[in-house]
Amino acid sequence: LGLKTRLGAISSGLLLAGGFMIIVEAFVRGCVMDYWSFFGLFRFNMSDIFISAGAILLVFDLLIKKRAQVMYNQLVQNSERS
């Protein structure tokens, strides 16, 4: 998990918190319950929200890092040509 950036740390924390919440609820209740339902289509709980948000932020963090690396490589190539 990416802990080098603030966004990476937040996403990792959300993923770990969501996973921990699932483990605790499964241990205490014997199952994981979904608390909210939207239009009868989607059912989820807070741990689902944490895990989904953490995964989305982690992908976003990786894309930002990749773009920064590409831009750095272009800058280095341009300075070598000069």
Side-chain angles (χ1 to χ4, degrees), residues 15-27:
L15 287 168
L16 292 173
F20 181 73
M21 288 167 60
I22 286 177
I23 291 170
V24 168
E25 188 171 5
F27 181 73

Side-chain angles (χ1 to χ4, degrees), residues 7-76:
L7 187 59
I10 291 169
S11 64
S12 298
L14 286 171
L15 287 168
L16 292 173
F20 181 73
M21 288 167 60
I22 286 177
I23 291 170
V24 168
E25 188 171 5
F27 181 73
V28 170
R29 291 183 182 225
C31 66
V32 178
M33 295 186 63
D34 292 329
Y35 302 107
W36 296 294
S37 175
F38 281 105
F39 309 112
L41 298 173
F42 307 106
R43 298 183 66 98
F44 58 93
N45 56 27
M46 279 306 283
S47 57
D48 295 335
I49 293 171
F50 281 21
I51 292 171
S52 298
I56 290 168
L57 290 176
L58 186 62
V59 168
F60 189 64
D61 183 50
L62 293 173
L63 291 174
I64 290 172
K65 286 180 189 176
K66 180 66 175 174
R67 182 173 170 87
Q69 185 64 40
V70 168
M71 291 175 67
Y72 175 77
N73 290 340
Q74 289 175 350
L75 182 65
V76 169

